């Protein structure tokens, strides 16, 4: 069973690893993927971010308690989806660049700056990378912000954003249930519910739900275990 | 610049679509959008009706290749009316679904069409069956299909409750279609809804501008 990775297999992110290209004999390499469900919501005073906890290598779950909410700076986090190697590498690079920039300025960095650093790397190396990232955090200038940097390297700010393979199943739920002006607890509940629904339907998402809220006071992290997830009418 | 997976896998006119059916207390609601597309860029029809009546109280929604779906439903209608004459009674919903399933399974190599069959019969009341691409047949209380359906799985799971009233179920189906049409570029147009109960059949058409709007519209 090919669990070892020799090189990054660049393949169609939608169809996942092992899709066959026309005509040529292809060796099926299993990439370590966080095909996942990630979500970030802005509220007045901060942001709430959430992710599932499954990392897969083909059909094997390499890590069932992954932490996909990565700290970039004190009040700036990113949610990672796509290739685990790519996103870990980019996050490390951006964290270094941002830390350096913050020392130069002698003040906390802006979320928009972090998002632009992600975008710069993702766009420049778009042919080699498979990374979909949500950058979220709090800064003094604009408060809570969520920026989406999907595969390809676009950058857009949105009040609520979902990403990863499981996100397709919850667009409808998110559109129907998100309302501007929710408070922190409502955002937490919405994120937990949305992630549970996605984990129920997407084979590449599962495990526990990790949540974090970032505001002027700081970062508060929560974990919701499998048996405590919100349940919906089973039919 | 590479284009990733943008070739349509269905040749010709396809109903990139959103279809759904749900059982409520006393009947079923069946709904669909009304867009037919060629590839992902051209809308070949804005007003096609994908909810097809195969018998008095049995309807079927089509997804996939329009040509395949029309051929199959034509054959199914014939089989079903013949069957109902032989039995001297209205056909069961399960019979309609099985006829479609047989056609899909026997020709599964050539065909690319999926169906949702729903209706009412005297023995089992309101039922919904889904016949998937390869010819699988399952009975469910609520089911969605088509390209736009992926975006509303979460909404359906959260919102559907068994034994809703007719009005609640109609509102649920309209909302679900509107949400899917809002996110899927090959679904759109108007929402066709059909309500089937013991008493009869009621058609509801919700034009695009009367569909429910959500927070970002």
């Amino acid at each position: 069973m090919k669990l070892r990775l020799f090189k990054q297999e660049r393949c169609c992110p939608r169809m996942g690893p092992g899709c066959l290209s026309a005509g040529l004999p292809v060796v099926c390499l299993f990439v370590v993927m966080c095909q996942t469900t990630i979500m970030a919501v802005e509220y007045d005073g901060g942001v709430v971010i959430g992710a599932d906890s499954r990392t897969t290598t083909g059909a094997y779950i390499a890590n069932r308690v992954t932490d996909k909410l990565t700290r970039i700076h004190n009040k700036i986090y990113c949610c990672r989806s796509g290739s685990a190697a790519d996103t870990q590498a980019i996050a490390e690079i951006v964290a270094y660049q941002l830390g350096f920039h913050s020392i130069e300025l002698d003040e906390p960095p802006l979320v928009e700056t972090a998002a632009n650093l992600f975008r710069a790397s993702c766009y420049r190396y778009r042919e080699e990378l498979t990374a979909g990232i949500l950058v979220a955090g709090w800064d003094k200038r604009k408060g809570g912000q969520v920026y989406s940097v999907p595969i390809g390297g676009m950058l857009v700010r949105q009040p609520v954003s979902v990403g990863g393979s499981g996100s397709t199943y919850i667009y409808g739920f998110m559109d129907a249930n998100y309302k501007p002006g929710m408070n922190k607890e409502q955002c937490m509940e919405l994120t937990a519910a949305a992630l549970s629904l996605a984990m129920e339907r997407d084979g590449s998402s599962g495990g526990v739900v990790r949540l974090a809220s970032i505001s002027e006071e700081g970062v508060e992290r929560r974990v919701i275990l499998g048996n405590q997830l919100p349940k919906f009418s089973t039919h | 610049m590479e284009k990733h997976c943008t070739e349509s896998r269905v040749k010709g006119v396809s109903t990139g679509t959103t279809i759904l059916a749900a059982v409520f207390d006393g009947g079923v609601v069946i709904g669909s959008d009304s867009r037919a597309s060629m590839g992902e860029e051209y809308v070949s029809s804005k007003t096609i009706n994908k909810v097809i009546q195969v018998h008095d109280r049995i309807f079927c929604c089509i997804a996939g290749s329009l040509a395949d779906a029309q051929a199959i439903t034509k054959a199914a209608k014939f089989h079903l009316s013949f069957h109902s004459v032989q039995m001297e009674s209205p056909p069961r919903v399960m019979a309609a679904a099985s006829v479609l399933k047989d056609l899909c399974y026997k020709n599964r190599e050539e065909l690319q069409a999926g169906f949702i069959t729903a209706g009412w019969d005297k023995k089992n009341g309101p039922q919904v069956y889904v016949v998937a691409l390869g010819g699988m047949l399952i009975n469910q209380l609520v089911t969605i299909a088509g390209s736009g359906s992926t975006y509303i799985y979460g909404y359906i799971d959260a919102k559907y409750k068994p034994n809703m009233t007719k009005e609640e179920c109609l509102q649920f189906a309209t909302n679900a279609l509107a949400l899917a049409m809002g996110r899927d570029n090959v679904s759109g147009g108007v929402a066709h809804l059909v309500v089937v109960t013991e008493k009869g059949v009621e058609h509801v058409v919700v034009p695009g501008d009367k569909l429910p709007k959500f927070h970002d519209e």
Side-chain angles (χ1 to χ4, degrees):
Chain A
M1 185 162 59
K2 298 182 190 73
L3 282 183
R4 282 245 166 256
L5 230 214
F6 295 104
K7 72 169 176 105
Q8 194 83 48
E9 163 87 324
R10 173 75 173 134
C11 56
C12 174
R14 287 252 215 100
M15 282 156 69
C19 74
L20 302 172
S21 33
L24 303 166
V26 168
V27 173
C28 182
L29 296 176
F30 288 112
V31 182
V32 179
M33 298 290 259
C34 295
Q35 265 154 348
T36 182
T37 315
I38 50 178
M39 181 162 168
V41 190
E42 282 176 20
Y43 65 91
D44 183 23
V47 293
V48 167
I49 55 177
D52 72 304
S53 71
R54 182 173 288 184
T55 306
T56 55
T57 326
Y60 173 66
I61 299 172
N63 186 351
R64 61 189 171 106
V65 286
T66 323
D67 185 5
K68 300 178 191 177
L69 308 176
T70 306
R71 178 190 173 281
I72 303 295
H73 204 264
N74 289 350
K75 298 212 176 79
I76 305 177
Y77 272 65
C78 77
C79 310
R80 303 181 288 112
S81 77
S83 155
D86 287 348
T87 53
Q88 283 175 355
I90 300 172
E92 248 180 66
I93 291 168
V94 170
Y96 160 75
Q97 292 172 330
L98 201 64
F100 196 81
H101 173 70
S102 158
I103 290 173
E104 287 182 315
L105 289 187
D106 198 21
E107 67 174 30
L110 299 176
V111 187
E112 192 171 354
T113 312
N116 273 291
L117 286 171
F118 270 106
R119 195 235 334 124
S121 295
C122 291
Y123 182 69
R124 172 167 293 201
Y125 299 107
R126 57 190 304 187
E127 302 301 324
E128 285 94 30
L129 295 174
T130 310
I133 296 178
L134 294 178
V135 185
W138 183 93
D139 65 43
K140 216 168 53 180
R141 195 181 291 181
K142 292 190 188 164
Q145 300 147 72
V146 169
Y147 293 89
S148 177
V149 183
I151 292 173
M154 166 184 92
L155 171 63
V156 66
R157 181 180 171 190
Q158 295 177 306
V160 57
S161 191
V162 292
S165 60
S167 67
T168 54
Y169 304 109
I170 48 174
Y171 275 110
F173 179 80
M174 189 187 83
D175 284 340
N177 290 76
Y178 171 75
K179 309 210 175 350
M182 297 199 298
N183 65 23
K184 182 176 97 163
E185 278 311 314
Q186 290 171 323
C187 287
M188 287 274 205
E189 274 167 27
L190 177 69
T191 310
L195 289 172
S196 312
L197 286 165
M199 280 154 60
E200 190 90 349
R201 288 285 181 180
D202 181 30
S204 315
S205 303
V208 304
V209 168
R210 291 197 190 274
L211 294 170
S213 85
I214 308 172
S215 64
E216 186 171 7
E217 284 82 48
V219 177
E220 181 205 326
R221 298 203 61 156
R222 278 186 216 176
V223 177
I224 305 182
L225 301 179
N227 59 341
Q228 296 158 350
L229 288 171
K231 287 195 188 10
F232 298 93
S233 105
T234 44
H235 48 260
Chain B
M1 180 166 54
E2 299 166 41
K3 258 189 148 199
H4 298 291
C5 291
T6 47
E7 308 116 37
S8 169
R9 282 182 251 160
V10 176
K11 292 242 156 36
V13 181
S14 102
T15 58
T17 185
T18 311
I19 51 179
L20 56 79
V23 171
F24 64 88
D25 186 20
V28 297
V29 168
I30 307 139
S32 79
D33 71 308
S34 70
R35 181 175 288 185
S37 53
M38 271 164 82
E40 312 225 339
E41 290 107 14
Y42 178 63
V43 175
S44 46
S45 170
K46 292 185 272 189
T47 51
I48 108 167
N49 188 357
K50 303 175 196 178
V51 182
I52 304 194
Q53 186 160 22
V54 292
H55 208 267
D56 291 346
R57 299 251 194 302
I58 307 179
F59 284 77
C60 146
C61 313
I62 52 185
S65 155
L66 196 47
D68 288 345
Q70 287 180 341
I72 296 175
T73 45
K74 211 163 156 193
K77 258 190 194 171
F78 163 74
H79 280 301
L80 213 53
S81 62
F82 193 72
H83 169 77
S84 124
V85 165
Q86 279 187 315
M87 296 310 224
E88 288 178 16
S89 75
R92 308 249 168 82
V93 186
M94 173 64 153
S98 300
V99 165
L100 285 166
K101 185 257 297 172
D102 262 352
L103 290 166
C104 286
Y105 184 67
K106 290 201 169 70
N107 301 300
R108 64 187 181 281
E109 308 298 326
E110 285 96 23
L111 295 174
Q112 258 188 338
F115 299 88
I116 295 180
T117 310
W120 184 93
D121 66 41
K122 213 163 68 158
K123 182 170 185 225
N124 291 320
Q127 300 145 74
V128 169
Y129 291 89
V130 59
V131 178
L133 219 54
M136 167 187 84
L137 172 64
I138 17 180
N139 180 3
Q140 294 186 300
L141 284 177
V142 60
T143 190
I144 51 179
S147 59
S149 68
T150 55
Y151 304 108
I152 47 175
Y153 273 106
Y155 182 77
I156 304 281
D157 283 342
K159 260 309 167 107
Y160 177 77
K161 308 263 172 298
N163 295 322
M164 292 192 280
T165 65
K166 180 179 111 166
E167 287 67 33
E168 285 175 341
C169 199
L170 261 175
Q171 187 60 50
F172 160 78
T174 315
N175 286 348
L177 284 172
L179 287 165
M181 282 155 47
R183 287 286 180 178
D184 185 24
N185 64 330
V186 288
S187 298
V190 309
H192 287 289
L193 294 157
V194 172
V195 183
V196 183
T197 55
E198 179 174 9
K199 296 190 191 59
V201 169
E202 186 194 325
H203 290 265
V204 178
V205 176
V206 186
D209 56 349
K210 303 273 186 311
L211 285 170
K213 288 193 181 351
F214 298 93
H215 73 98
D216 54 0
E217 293 169 277

